[in-house]
């Protein structure tokens, strides 16, 4: 029953408010008249059974509710009840509102009398399922509330404790019942209690739960601060009426301690992660030092500075501060001089200027260099020397001790100093001290702890490794660049029938040296080999591999092999470049069985082209390189269709040759990928832009090169760039003498006559006698040892070349004749009288040639008697 208000007329009884126990147990009532039929039917019965009063009144309850097999027994019970007996029991009944399902009711039947004295009955019915549900809910509530390992409180609408569980009582003392009627002010300090009360009131008013409310307090009999995580939610009655707030508390003290440690660890990891991302992005020593301070200030300290050994900055081979020695040579002199390369501060400069930075640490090293003061104990601000000043620390200072021992020194700030403490951390890389970094915290900041010391050492070590790597890289880069430039063709290359211009742009100091190269090689017969290649990879090894391949190309060119044969031989050489000393086959087996540490794979791309100025034909062979570009007069630039083949070093695939006849005035361009490819645009766009830039091919060749490099977006510095351009000029017809001779003895005399006449026409009379003699020897050898028709050709350009062709495959071999031999001295004579001579295979035989310098002072002097007698 609810409250009983008083009125002027007396006491008025009111019904129970919503949420009464009767709402949960579902109690209904009806009455049975003397005739055994229902005469009263309550509203709760109508709700519970789903049958209105008009439908059941005046009917037999047994027939209406009970199953057919139980009706006979039901009628007997009704008769007994009407005879005045009480009865209590479980009665199954049909539930019309639930599709004919059977329910189970607990029925209390009490006999009664009508106003006329007739026997009747009053029935109280309770749904058994509702009772079982209440029992289950009570058991669940007890299991959660009473047996919970967490502190559990139930606050009433007035925010007093209605119920507490045993876990809460164990923590705060007494029995669970002793806490009824208390408030949060009985357990917490006033500020925390007010915060908790506000949260309870907010939950009660809004119904919004509060999770993980952090509360700090102490338990009875202890002064240790405890941390609790509180979860609050509003509790409702069955009808939805708020009846209080439930609170669940968990002791998270250990979690808070772990969280603080984790936060410190996360901060250190965040600083280290930032250091990994920011330190070492540049290969400049000073920039790396500034990157270290950008990470440290203000996240780790308030002031910081970096000093590096002067010898390190001037390019000494070894770091001067090797910490294995207790007394480094010349400590305090030139070998121990340091330069302040970086400084950072989160403190106002005005405070430092007021003299609160303390006494200076370093002492003057001589000359006009910066002096930081009188040489104190090393307890001052790291801001003492200016950036760029050269100084050295006093031998007995803490900074000097850190440099000598390679151990961190903690320096406490002096009285009146702005600095609270300083960590002097030596920068150690590969067992050598390269400098000193000082981290300082101003007064008012948290002092340095063990974690901070470890972090300071890690930051200094990372920066030291980056600085040492920058030093080593700078040294290697300079050496590789010197090697690379020494292997390139000196000056402006010259070639018969070609106007040549070239450009080579190495990568900048921020990128490693690449393996790009080009070459112009003079071949017999005034032919020219044009070579452009690129070793995959960067650094000194790529430069060395490039030098070996370039030397191999020049060696193979002297053999006058076909372009495809040159690339095949280069492929074998490239596959052997990474092999250790020993048999090549053994190294390959070791490489396959034990991994790449015994053998390194060198891959390279290369284009090898041979140009003949007489025919203006150029033969190309390509090993995975970008295609050559040809610009014919008045036409657009075209990519020559040269089969790319596999890169050098892959092996297993033959190379194809393509012969192209080049028109007079055409422009041929060979290049490396650095010219047409970058991270900002794909290769196709670069090739298109390159071809478009070559439309100005009618300019002088040097201007064309400059125009190409100035037009293309090469992003120079990312990669090396090699560009070799040649304008086709061809050899004039009047500079070529070409005759075919029958295979008969008189062809020797005929050859001399033809050669004499041609030299006279060229006004080269001083060479007539020598040429007649050497032509006779070569034609005679062709008749004696060769096959087929003989061909004689004279070429005049910067030198005079004579060639004798025949169909024989046997190559001439120079030998030393014995004193008794009547012959065998022809090739010795050719070698003695000519500037150069040789032989090469042709598709239909061989060619033997010799070369003579044009008349130019002493260049045509006759051989001495000693030289002639040396043949006998």
């Amino acid at each position: 029953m609810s409250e009983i208000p008083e009125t002027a007329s007396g006491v008025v009884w009111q019904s129970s408010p919503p949420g009464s126990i009767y709402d949960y147990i579902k109690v209904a009532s009806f009455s049975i008249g003397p005739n055994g039929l229902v005469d009263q039917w309550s509203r709760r019965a109508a709700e519970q059974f789903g049958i209105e009063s008009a439908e059941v009144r005046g009917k037999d309850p047994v027939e209406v509710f009970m199953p057919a097999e139980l009706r006979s027994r039901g009628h007997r019970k009704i008769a007994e009840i009407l005879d005045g007996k009480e009865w209590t029991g479980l009665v199954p009944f049909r539930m019309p509102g639930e599709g004919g399902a059977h329910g189970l009711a607990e029925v209390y039947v009490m006999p009664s009398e009508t106003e006329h004295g007739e026997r009747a009955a009053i029935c109280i019915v309770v749904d058994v399922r509702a009772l079982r549900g209440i029992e289950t809910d009570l058991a669940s509530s007890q299991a959660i509330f009473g047996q919970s390992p967490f502190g559990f409180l139930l606050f009433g609408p007035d925010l007093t404790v209605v119920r507490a569980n045993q876990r809460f009582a164990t923590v705060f003392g007494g029995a669970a019942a002793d806490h009824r009627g208390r408030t949060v002010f009985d357990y917490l300090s006033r500020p925390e209690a007010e915060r908790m009360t506000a949260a309870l009131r907010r939950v009660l008013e809004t119904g919004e739960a509060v999770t993980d409310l952090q509360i700090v307090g102490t338990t009875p009999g202890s002064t240790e601060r405890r941390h609790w995580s509180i979860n609050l939610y509003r509790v409702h009655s069955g009808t939805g009426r708020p009846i209080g707030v439930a609170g669940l508390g968990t002791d998270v003290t250990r979690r808070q301690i772990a969280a603080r440690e984790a936060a410190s660890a996360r901060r250190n990891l965040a600083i280290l992660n930032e250091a990994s991302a920011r330190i070492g992005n540049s290969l400049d020593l000073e920039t790396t030092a500034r990157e270290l301070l950008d990470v440290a200030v203000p996240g780790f300290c308030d002031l910081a500075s970096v000093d590096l050994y002067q010898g390190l900055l001037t390019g000494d081979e070894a770091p001067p501060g090797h910490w294995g020695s207790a007394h480094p040579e010349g400590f305090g002199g030139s070998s121990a001089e340091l330069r302040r390369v970086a400084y950072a501060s989160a403190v106002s400069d005005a405070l430092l200027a007021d003299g609160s930075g303390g006494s200076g640490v370093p002492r003057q090293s001589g000359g006009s260099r910066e002096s930081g003061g009188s040489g104190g104990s090393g307890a001052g601000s790291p801001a003492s020397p200016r950036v760029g000043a050269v100084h050295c620390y006093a031998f007995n200072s803490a900074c000097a001790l850190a440099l000598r021992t390679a151990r961190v020194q903690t320096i406490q700030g002096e009285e009146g100093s702005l600095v609270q403490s300083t960590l002097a951390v030596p920068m150690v890389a590969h067992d050598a001290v390269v400098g000193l970094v000082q981290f300082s915290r101003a007064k008012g900041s948290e002092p340095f702890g063990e974690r901070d010391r470890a972090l300071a050492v890690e930051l200094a070590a990372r920066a030291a490794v980056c600085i040492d790597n920058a030093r080593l890289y700078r040294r290697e880069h300079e050496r590789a660049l010197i090697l690379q430039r020494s292997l390139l063709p000196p000056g402006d290359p010259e070639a018969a029938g070609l106007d040549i211009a070239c450009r080579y742009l190495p990568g900048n100091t921020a990128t490693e040296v690449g393996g790009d190269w080009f070459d112009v090689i003079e071949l017999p017969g005034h032919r020219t080999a044009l070579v452009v290649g690129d070793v995959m990879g960067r650094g000194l090894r790529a430069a060395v591999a490039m030098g070996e391949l370039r030397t191999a190309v020049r060696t193979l060119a002297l053999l006058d092999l076909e372009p495809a044969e040159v690339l095949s031989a280069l492929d074998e050489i490239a596959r052997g470049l990474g092999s250790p000393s020993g048999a090549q086959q053994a190294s390959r087996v070791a490489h396959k069985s034990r991994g790449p540490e015994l053998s390194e794979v060198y891959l390279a791309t290369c284009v090898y082209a041979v140009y003949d100025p007489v025919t203006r034909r150029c033969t190309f062979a390509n090993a995975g390189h970008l295609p050559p570009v040809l610009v014919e007069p008045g036409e657009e630039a075209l990519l020559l269709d040269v089969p790319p083949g596999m890169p050098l070093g892959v092996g297993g695939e033959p190379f194809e040759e393509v012969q192209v006849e080049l028109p007079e005035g055409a422009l041929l361009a060979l290049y490396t990928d650095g010219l047409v490819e970058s991270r900002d645009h794909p290769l196709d766009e670069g090739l298109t832009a390159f071809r478009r830039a070559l439309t100005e091919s009618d300019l002088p060749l040097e201007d064309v090169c400059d125009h190409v490099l100035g037009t293309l977006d090469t992003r120079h510095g990312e990669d090396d760039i090699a560009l070799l351009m040649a304008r086709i000029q061809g050899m004039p017809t009047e500079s070529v003498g070409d005759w075919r001779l029958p295979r008969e003895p008189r062809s020797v005399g005929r050859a001399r006559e033809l050669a004499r006449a041609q030299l006279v026409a060229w006004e080269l009379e001083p060479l007539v006698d020598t040429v007649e003699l050497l032509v006779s020897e070569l034609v005679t050898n062709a008749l004696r040892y060769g096959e087929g028709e003989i061909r004689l050709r004279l070429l005049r350009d910067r030198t005079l070349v004579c060639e004798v062709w025949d169909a024989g495959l046997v190559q001439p071999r120079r030998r030393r004749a014995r004193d008794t031999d009547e012959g065998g001295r022809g090739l010795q004579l050719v070698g003695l009288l000519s500037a150069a001579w040789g032989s090469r295979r042709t598709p239909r035989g061989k060619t033997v040639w010799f070369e003579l310098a044009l008349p130019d002072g002493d260049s045509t002097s006759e051989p001495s008697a000693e030289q002639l007698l040396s043949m006998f």
Side-chain angles (χ1 to χ4, degrees):
M1 300 290 288
S2 66
E3 61 182 6
I4 307 174
E6 295 184 3
T7 62
S9 58
V11 177
V12 177
W13 293 86
Q14 294 184 352
S15 61
S16 296
S20 169
I21 186 64
Y22 299 107
D23 294 330
Y24 290 99
I25 62 176
K26 295 184 179 180
V27 177
S29 65
F30 63 91
S31 61
I32 300 176
N35 55 1
L37 303 179
V38 175
D39 62 354
Q40 296 291 334
W41 187 256
S42 68
R43 290 186 177 181
R44 285 187 177 269
E47 294 174 359
Q48 184 168 332
F49 294 105
I51 303 175
E52 295 297 329
S53 175
E55 299 177 14
V56 71
R57 188 182 296 116
K59 295 184 179 180
D60 187 347
V62 174
E63 296 294 333
V64 173
F65 301 111
M66 297 187 67
E69 63 274 11
L70 298 178
R71 288 175 184 172
S72 58
R73 182 181 175 186
H75 284 300
R76 288 196 301 271
K77 290 296 182 181
I78 290 296
E80 292 176 357
I81 291 168
L82 293 178
D83 287 340
K85 294 182 178 181
E86 291 187 0
W87 181 79
T88 302
L90 298 176
V91 176
F93 64 92
R94 290 177 297 178
M95 302 175 65
E98 298 187 15
H102 287 190
L104 188 64
E106 188 168 305
V107 182
Y108 302 88
V109 182
M110 296 169 288
S112 64
E113 291 184 358
T114 65
E115 59 182 0
H116 301 294
E118 297 176 313
R119 298 284 180 88
I122 297 175
C123 301
I124 305 298
V125 182
V126 178
D127 190 342
V128 174
R129 294 184 303 174
L131 292 176
R132 298 295 181 267
I134 292 174
E135 291 176 357
T136 301
D137 292 344
L138 290 175
S140 300
S141 175
Q142 182 59 28
I144 295 173
F145 195 86
Q147 302 173 20
S148 172
F150 308 110
F152 209 110
L153 289 176
L154 181 61
F155 295 91
D158 57 354
L159 303 186
T160 60
V161 176
V162 176
R163 187 176 179 184
N165 69 345
Q166 188 56 42
R167 175 60 182 170
F168 182 85
T170 301
V171 175
F172 287 92
D178 297 339
H179 295 276
R180 293 176 183 170
R182 295 184 181 181
T183 67
V184 293
F185 289 91
D186 297 317
Y187 306 105
L188 302 174
S189 63
R190 187 169 189 83
E192 292 292 275
E194 290 177 349
R195 199 158 63 89
M196 178 78 172
T197 301
L200 287 169
R201 185 172 290 108
R202 185 167 62 253
V203 172
L204 186 63
E205 292 174 354
T206 64
E208 296 180 359
V210 172
T211 58
D212 197 23
L213 175 65
Q214 297 294 318
I215 296 295
V216 180
T218 59
T219 57
S222 174
T223 58
E224 181 184 2
R225 289 169 59 87
R226 311 295 296 179
H227 294 261
W228 292 286
S229 173
I230 307 297
N231 296 313
L232 304 174
Y233 58 92
R234 193 167 68 181
V235 181
H236 302 84
S237 67
T239 60
R241 179 172 59 91
I243 60 174
V245 177
L248 180 66
T250 306
D251 192 331
V252 293
T253 304
R254 292 183 179 179
R255 187 193 306 171
Q256 287 293 325
I257 296 174
R260 284 198 301 268
E261 295 179 352
S264 177
R266 282 195 300 270
R267 185 203 66 175
N268 291 355
L269 287 175
I271 294 176
L272 288 177
N273 182 61
E274 186 180 5
S276 300
R278 298 181 62 178
I279 299 177
N281 291 325
S282 170
L283 292 172
D284 180 74
L285 280 70
E286 290 84 353
T287 302
T288 302
R290 289 193 296 269
E291 290 169 346
L292 167 63
L293 300 193
D294 289 341
V295 172
V297 180
F300 177 68
C301 63
D302 301 315
L303 302 109
S305 65
V306 177
D307 299 322
L308 297 180
Y309 276 111
Q310 179 70 355
L312 182 78
L313 297 168
T314 55
D316 286 356
E317 284 296 312
H322 197 296
W323 58 273
S325 172
H327 300 284
E329 179 183 357
F331 189 87
S334 61
S335 64
E337 290 180 342
L338 298 106
R339 184 193 300 174
R340 177 65 51 90
V341 295
Y343 167 74
S345 172
V347 181
S348 172
D349 293 338
L351 295 177
L352 295 176
D354 289 340
S356 58
S359 63
V361 210
R363 61 189 176 92
Q364 188 173 355
S365 60
S368 60
R369 291 165 180 161
E370 177 74 12
S371 173
S374 59
S377 61
S381 165
S384 299
R386 297 191 306 266
V387 173
V390 178
H391 62 89
C392 59
Y393 292 101
F395 186 83
N396 60 348
S397 66
C399 291
L401 181 62
L403 290 170
R404 288 199 304 273
T405 62
R407 295 182 180 177
V408 182
Q409 301 296 320
T410 301
I411 308 170
Q412 298 301 325
E414 296 177 349
E415 184 177 356
S417 169
L418 175 68
V419 175
Q420 178 191 82
S421 60
T422 298
L423 293 179
V425 187
M427 304 178 71
V428 182
H430 306 110
D431 292 346
V433 179
V434 299
L436 182 75
V437 56
Q438 297 182 64
F439 302 105
S440 299
R441 287 183 178 174
K443 290 183 178 178
S445 299
E446 182 180 354
F448 289 112
E450 287 302 319
R451 290 180 181 271
D452 297 322
R453 287 172 62 93
L455 178 59
V457 171
E458 180 66 23
L459 288 175
R462 294 195 179 198
V465 170
C466 293
I467 288 174
D468 196 51
N469 288 342
R471 178 185 67 86
L472 295 174
Y473 171 79
R474 182 173 61 185
R475 185 178 64 185
E476 179 179 320
H477 186 273
E478 290 174 354
R479 292 177 177 178
L481 197 57
I482 292 172
L483 172 64
Q484 188 181 50
R485 288 174 175 171
S486 68
L487 295 173
L488 295 175
D492 296 326
E494 294 182 358
L498 291 176
D499 181 15
I500 294 178
C502 53
R503 294 290 185 274
Y504 184 82
L505 302 178
N508 56 33
T509 55
T511 59
E512 293 188 272
V513 172
D516 295 15
W517 91 92
F518 69 92
D519 211 343
V520 179
I521 307 171
E522 293 188 53
L523 299 178
H526 289 309
R527 294 172 302 130
T528 303
L530 304 175
V531 189
V532 168
D534 184 2
V535 177
M536 298 181 186
R538 307 192 65 80
L540 187 59
R541 292 187 178 184
V544 171
M546 177 270 285
E548 292 180 329
L549 289 178
R550 178 180 179 272
T551 302
V553 170
R554 282 193 159 265
T555 303
L556 294 170
L558 294 178
L559 300 178
D560 209 358
L561 302 176
E562 295 296 324
E565 295 177 333
V566 171
L567 293 186
S568 296
L570 275 180
D571 182 56
E572 290 293 331
I573 293 172
R575 280 188 286 168
L577 283 182
S579 301
S581 60
Q584 186 178 11
Q585 183 63 30
S587 67
R588 290 179 183 172
V589 173
H591 173 59
K592 292 180 180 178
S593 61
R594 296 185 58 188
E597 69 277 2
L598 294 183
S599 178
E600 185 173 356
V601 177
Y602 284 90
L603 299 178
T605 62
C606 181
V607 170
Y608 187 88
V610 175
Y611 172 69
D612 187 344
V614 179
T615 62
R616 292 201 313 274
R617 291 178 181 173
C618 192
T619 305
F620 296 91
N622 190 354
H625 202 79
L626 295 173
V629 176
L630 178 65
V631 186
E632 297 185 7
E635 301 291 338
E636 294 183 353
L638 299 175
L639 296 176
L640 292 180
D641 187 12
V642 180
M646 300 299 292
L648 302 176
V650 175
E653 293 294 332
F655 297 98
E656 299 183 40
E657 291 182 356
V658 173
Q659 192 174 82
V660 179
E661 185 170 347
L662 306 178
E664 186 78 19
L667 187 65
L668 179 66
L670 305 179
Y671 52 95
T672 57
D673 57 358
L675 182 68
V676 295
E677 186 177 23
S678 73
R679 290 176 296 181
D680 298 330
H681 58 74
L683 178 60
D684 290 344
E685 292 182 7
L687 288 173
T688 301
F690 180 38
R691 292 167 54 195
R692 191 181 302 117
L694 289 175
T695 54
E696 303 291 337
S697 60
D698 54 340
L699 297 173
L701 201 55
E702 293 291 338
D703 295 341
V704 175
C705 288
D706 294 337
H707 175 72
V708 168
L709 295 177
T711 302
L712 296 183
D713 183 18
T714 60
R715 299 290 183 186
H716 174 52
E718 295 181 1
D719 197 3
D720 294 357
I721 296 175
L723 174 62
L724 177 60
M725 305 187 72
R727 176 166 285 131
I728 309 303
Q729 294 176 345
M731 185 172 288
T733 306
E734 58 273 13
S735 297
V736 179
D738 194 354
W739 307 276
R740 297 182 183 274
L741 304 173
R743 190 171 188 78
E744 53 189 29
R746 63 178 182 177
S747 293
V748 177
R750 177 60 177 162
R752 288 197 299 266
E753 294 174 1
L754 293 173
R756 175 187 294 271
Q758 187 64 69
L759 291 177
V760 171
W762 287 341
E763 299 180 353
L764 298 177
E765 288 84 354
L767 299 180
V768 170
D769 294 339
T770 303
V771 172
E772 281 188 339
L773 177 59
L774 299 185
V775 165
S776 297
E777 290 294 336
L778 295 187
V779 174
T780 300
N781 285 344
L783 287 173
R784 183 176 299 177
Y785 305 110
E787 300 176 4
E789 186 181 36
I790 299 172
R791 182 180 176 187
L792 174 65
R793 189 167 75 169
L794 292 178
L795 306 176
R796 186 195 67 177
D797 194 73
R798 287 175 292 119
T799 61
L800 178 68
V801 174
C802 176
E803 299 175 329
V804 176
W805 307 40
D806 70 80
L809 298 178
V810 178
Q811 296 291 323
R813 182 172 60 90
R814 182 177 178 179
R815 66 183 179 87
R816 187 173 186 84
R818 291 174 295 184
D819 293 344
T820 57
D821 290 343
E822 296 182 0
R825 296 179 179 85
L827 292 181
Q828 292 186 44
L829 187 62
V830 173
L832 181 63
L833 298 179
S834 65
W837 78 279
S839 67
R840 68 177 184 274
R841 290 182 300 169
T842 64
R844 297 182 181 179
K846 67 176 180 298
T847 300
V848 183
W849 58 272
F850 65 85
E851 184 175 0
L852 293 174
L854 298 181
D856 184 15
D858 296 335
S859 61
T860 59
S861 61
E862 297 293 334
S864 64
E866 289 78 7
Q867 291 175 321
L868 293 174
L869 290 175
S870 66
M871 297 187 297
F872 298 92

